[in-house]
Structure formats: C-alpha cells, structure tokens
Amino acid sequence: MSSVHEPEKDTVTETVPAKAFDGDADVQEVSPGASYRDLEKRDSNLKTTKDGIVLIPQPTDDPDEPLNWPFWKKHAALIVLAFGSFFVKFTATILASASNILAHQFHTTPRKATYIASSASIVPAVAPFVWIPLSRKFGRRPVLLAGTTLAIVFSITVATSDTYGQAVATRVMMALSDSAAICIGPAAISDMFFQHEKGSRMGINTFLLVCAPYIGGIAGGAVAFNTHLGWRWSMYISAILLGLQLVCQFLFVPETIFNRKEARAAAENPKPTFAYSLGFKKPTATKNDSWLYTYLRPFAMFAYPAVFFPALWFSIAQMTEVANTAGFALNFGEPSRYHFNARQIGFCSFSGLIGAVCGELVAGPVCDFVAKRHLKKGGDWKPEQILPVAATGLVLTSAGLLLYGLELNYPTGWAATLTGIGIFTAGQEILLTVLMTYTCDCYPDKAPEVSIVFQCCINIMAYCPPFYVPQWIAGPAGAKVPYIVFALLPIVTAPIGWLLFMWKGEKVRAKGPWFTL
C-alpha cells in the first residue's frame, strides 16, 4: 500500500472566509476538471497541502465535516468499512470449498451443491436499491449497523439448516443483509478523503473486496476438512467475525453524510468528541424528498455513460470470478485429475490472494501519484488522467484467463493452472481500483449511486457463469473455448468501456445523462 499522510498536518492554515459558511450560501467547490489557476484568480484563499496540492473538494471550516476529521479517525473508519466489503465476499465463498461435503450432507450432486455459495452472488446486484435509499433517509451509520446485525442472524440460520432449500434461502438472505456494507463503503470513503488521497484509499477497499473470495476459500476449506468443526462451523465463524465487525462499526464509523450548506465556521462549532461520533444524525439534505424520488434516484445513474459503460466493461472483464472460485471444487477436487481434499481445494485460493496483493501494489499508489503530480503543478485536473493505468489491468486480466483455460485443457500441473488465477486477479484489482476511482471522481456528489451501478453490473454479470461454465468445460471442446472467449471479451469491448473515455471522456461527462427519469 502507498504511504498515507495526515491531512490536518498537510493542509495550509489559510481558510475560506467565514461568510462562506453562514448556512445560506453554497461552499466553494473545486470540481473535477477545474483549473487551479482559474480558481486562484477567483479566490486566493484556496486550501492546499504543504506541497502545494490543491484540496479537491475544498473543505469547510466545520470540524464535523468528514474531510476535516483527524487522520486516525478517517483511517479507522476506512479500515472498518473496507472489512465490511471484505466480509460480503468472504462469507459467500467460505462454503465453496466444501461443495463435495455439502453434496453428501444434502443428498445432491457436487455441481448442485456449489449453488449454495454461488446462488447468492446475484443479491449484491439488487441490494443497493434497498440500502442506498434507506441510507439517504436515515444515514449511512444506522443502515450499516442494521445490515450487519441481520447478517449475523442469518449466518447462524444457515449453520443450522437441515435441508438444501433452507440452506440456499438463508444464504440469500444473509447476502442481502451484509451487502449493506458493500453499498455504503465506497460512498463513505468518498466523503472522507480528498482527490489526491482517494486512489489508494479506494484501493484498500477494492483490495479487500477482490481478495475476500480467495481468503474465504482458504478458510472454508480448512474448517470443512477439520473433523471437529465441519462446514457448519464456517457459518458460525462468519457470525462471530460479523459480530466483531458490528462492534467496530459502532465504535469507529461515524455518520459521513454531511450537509455543506449547513456548515459553520470552526469558531462557532466545537471539535466533535468521541462520544458525539457514536450518536446518530439523520441527514437533513433529503428530509423533504419523497420516498418515490429517493428510490428512483439510484436508477438515474444508469443514464450517465461515464459511469455505466466503465462499470459494464469491468463486469465483463471479471464475470468469471464466481465461476472460478466455485469451480475449484470441481476442477481440483475428488472428481478431477488432482483429487484434492477440502483443505487442499481451499489452498487453491492462495493464488487469487497473491494476485490481489500484487495488483494493489500498482493500482492505488499509481492513481495517487498521477493525481498528486497534476495537482501540484496547478494544471487542469481531469479524472481521465488516471485511465491509462487500466491498460496494465486489461492485459493481466485477459492473459490470466487464457492461461487458466489452456492449463485446464492441456494440464502441465496445478501450479501453472493456478498461476492463471493469480494473474487474472491482479488485473481485476487494478481495473476495479482505477475505474471505481474514475467514476466517483466524475460525479463526486453522486458516489453512492455510482457504487450502485458498479455493484449491479458486476453481480449480474457474475451470477450466470457458475451455472453454465462447468457444463461448457465438460463439453467436447474442454475448457479452452470458454476461457478464450472470456479472455477476448474485455479486449473487444474496451473501446466502449475504456478507450472512449480516454479520448472523449471530458465531453461525455459534460453532457451528463443521456436521459432523465
């Protein structure tokens, strides 16, 4: 990970005049694409870091604003939020390694048993349409706590399931509940960090999100293989971890929604105490919005091409993720040439974990470096300036998929096969960090809706492959055909999801949505 700095130590002491915070006027904003030199002509009191990096957005003088929180408070919240995203995918795959054991438990086939883990993958696609509107009405903090509490209850319910249908249904409800975290995380991170910090911080969240399925597979295989524990304890362990997460959320994740029009000068507003941060603050900016408008608002973001097409392109590139992790039991387990047991199947997931680490060592730090370099020079900042970093991710993603498919078809050994998964995951981590940062920078005031579009596209595209990829691999042509197709799709669709915005991104953003609801 890249090194972080303490914002309150880096920020120059000059402040925007207090009259800007009288509650009746909008606070000056520095939007993506704004020229620092032009803004400097209008206001000589722009806040910058000690290195001369202009702060985007310009913070108010209100110490309660998340941008003004102390270093420890921001990063404690960041880590807890990132682990919230982590547990969504971790708890989804912790059962995947035990597919053969689940098949015996519920008197079904190993292929059908994989659906207990994979069938819930569609849920995060629809969950944002529940949680994000509720967070706009009641706040991010209560929604986050409520979702985690429900996830604990359903995790225990999965562990006590007696039938296949009950296990599938309760896993779906568990996924719906803990998806609150994956919805809230990117929005809250955007609330707390400046432009030049956002790449690496968003990268921490995406890193834990990407590596979570693989850590879940490792842990799930070890637990299921242990005769003193078994697959049920994987869900009990999930409940225990979610309980610890709930405590951390309560202690370290204050409300991040902040109404800048109601901000006050520092002299008028005492520094918030720790006890104050434990309270609940209902958002005021949306208090007059109807429930219909609140629930329709997320759908409006699908009309923004600068959000929808990058999200769609990434979802095409990573659509095999669930099929890959769910397929470890079939491709490396007892029915395969390798005859791995549950624990060894879990160890296969180390490949994805290593790939995610390598990918994040590139993605977040490079995004931050690009932003700092341009902002320090005082030139025009455009979100498109970080998009070239995605080229590395594209190459790695396609190369990894191709290697994995060819090795499954023409095996030289399990290590070479799993190397393909590692390369694919490294590319996936780079693409997600770059594209999520880019789209949030395009419309920073709509970060929650941006995350909805991403989650919807990602999970819809990843839902279907687990149901047809095993049959495709078992066909006469073997694994090479499906994975050649999967490797070519990101390359073929790159013009509409990536290259278009490197070329004409600024004009596309300026036009806004293609249609309005």
Side-chain angles (χ1 to χ4, degrees):
M1 301 295 174
S2 62
S3 59
V4 296
H5 65 271
E6 190 163 333
E8 64 270 23
K9 291 181 181 178
D10 284 350
T11 305
V12 177
T13 55
E14 294 95 338
T15 60
V16 180
K19 65 181 181 180
F21 309 107
D22 59 6
D24 297 320
D26 289 343
V27 179
Q28 181 180 3
E29 295 282 355
V30 183
S31 59
S35 168
Y36 172 59
R37 295 187 180 90
D38 291 343
L39 290 165
E40 192 172 34
K41 292 176 183 177
R42 300 202 307 263
D43 191 341
S44 60
N45 291 324
L46 282 175
K47 296 179 182 180
T48 67
T49 67
K50 290 181 180 179
D51 296 330
I53 300 172
V54 63
L55 297 179
I56 299 176
Q58 286 283 286
T60 68
D61 282 353
D62 192 334
D64 198 28
E65 181 175 10
L67 290 169
N68 294 327
W69 288 351
F71 177 91
W72 72 267
K73 187 174 181 178
K74 286 185 179 183
H75 289 81
L78 167 66
I79 296 301
V80 175
L81 288 165
F83 269 101
S85 299
F86 168 87
F87 282 123
V88 176
K89 293 294 186 73
F90 174 87
T91 57
T93 58
I94 197 169
L95 288 175
S97 301
S99 294
N100 295 318
I101 297 174
L102 289 168
H104 178 74
Q105 172 77 48
F106 295 118
H107 308 290
T108 187
T109 64
R111 185 176 297 170
K112 189 177 178 182
T114 64
Y115 300 160
I116 296 176
S118 63
S119 61
S121 61
I122 189 64
V123 176
V126 297
F129 298 102
V130 176
W131 296 120
I132 291 296
L134 287 175
S135 71
R136 285 198 167 275
K137 280 290 186 179
F138 300 110
R140 305 204 205 287
R141 179 172 163 81
V143 166
L144 194 63
L145 296 175
T148 304
T149 302
L150 289 172
I152 294 170
V153 174
F154 285 114
S155 181
I156 296 172
T157 309
V158 176
T160 57
S161 297
D162 294 323
T163 66
Y164 177 82
Q166 184 182 0
V168 172
T170 50
R171 257 301 300 146
V172 168
M173 293 305 300
M174 180 184 172
L176 177 63
S177 301
D178 62 12
S179 290
I182 208 172
C183 303
I184 298 299
I189 292 169
S190 291
D191 292 338
M192 294 187 294
F193 292 99
F194 296 104
Q195 174 66 55
H196 67 282
E197 305 171 315
K198 199 177 295 182
S200 59
R201 276 51 168 203
M202 197 72 76
I204 292 173
N205 185 74
T206 58
F207 165 70
L208 287 175
L209 185 63
V210 170
C211 72
Y214 303 101
I215 295 179
I218 296 168
V223 172
F225 183 75
N226 189 312
T227 55
H228 299 291
L229 296 175
W231 72 268
R232 295 185 189 276
W233 262 98
S234 64
M235 287 290 96
Y236 286 130
I237 290 172
S238 296
I240 294 169
L241 293 175
L242 287 169
L244 294 174
Q245 175 73 0
L246 180 64
V247 173
C248 291
Q249 288 172 347
F250 180 77
L251 293 176
F252 300 116
V253 184
E255 181 57 61
T256 63
I257 292 179
F258 181 77
N259 190 344
R260 310 195 73 185
K261 292 184 178 181
E262 296 179 358
R264 303 295 181 203
E268 303 173 17
N269 217 2
K271 188 175 181 179
T273 63
F274 179 71
Y276 174 80
S277 69
L278 297 180
F280 296 91
K281 295 175 289 183
K282 192 173 182 179
T284 58
T286 58
K287 62 183 178 181
N288 296 322
D289 293 345
S290 67
W291 277 105
L292 178 62
Y293 173 79
T294 302
Y295 273 96
L296 285 178
R297 176 171 173 147
F299 292 95
M301 214 63 209
F302 285 87
Y304 287 76
V307 174
F308 176 71
F309 285 113
L312 178 63
W313 181 56
F314 174 74
S315 68
I316 291 171
Q318 70 89 55
M319 64 190 294
T320 61
E321 180 197 55
V322 177
N324 294 340
T325 54
F328 283 161
L330 301 177
N331 297 328
F332 296 93
E334 293 297 337
S336 74
R337 61 176 61 88
Y338 299 111
H339 302 290
F340 285 0
N341 59 38
R343 182 170 57 184
Q344 292 170 322
I345 292 169
F347 289 162
C348 292
S349 295
F350 272 113
S351 58
L353 177 60
I354 294 169
V357 171
C358 294
E360 182 48 33
L361 289 174
V362 174
V366 172
C367 287
D368 277 2
F369 170 78
V370 172
K372 287 178 181 179
R373 185 185 65 181
H374 284 278
L375 292 171
K376 189 173 182 179
K377 289 180 179 179
D380 293 347
W381 169 252
K382 299 179 179 63
E384 290 75 22
Q385 288 164 336
I386 67 170
L387 285 179
V389 183
T392 305
L394 173 59
V395 171
L396 292 176
T397 299
S398 292
L401 289 171
L402 188 61
L403 176 60
Y404 183 63
L406 292 177
E407 280 292 332
L408 285 177
N409 210 91
Y410 309 107
T412 60
W414 60 265
T417 310
L418 292 175
T419 298
I421 293 294
I423 295 172
F424 162 73
T425 310
Q428 178 188 6
E429 170 64 24
I430 294 171
L431 285 180
L432 182 57
T433 297
V434 172
L435 296 175
M436 181 69 82
T437 303
Y438 168 70
T439 51
C440 285
D441 288 348
C442 287
Y443 306 102
D445 58 328
K446 297 181 175 66
E449 286 75 18
V450 169
S451 69
I452 285 180
V453 176
F454 260 87
Q455 291 305 322
C456 187
C457 291
I458 289 171
N459 290 286
I460 287 177
M461 293 296 291
Y463 179 68
C464 294
F467 295 99
Y468 66 79
V469 169
Q471 289 89 330
W472 202 353
I473 291 176
K480 66 176 183 295
V481 173
Y483 278 93
I484 287 173
V485 172
F486 290 138
L488 288 176
L489 279 174
I491 298 172
V492 173
T493 55
I496 64 166
W498 171 49
L499 297 176
L500 169 66
F501 299 97
M502 287 184 60
W503 178 43
K504 293 289 185 180
E506 187 175 9
K507 291 184 178 180
V508 174
R509 283 188 291 110
K511 291 180 180 179
W514 282 352
F515 58 87
T516 57
L517 293 177

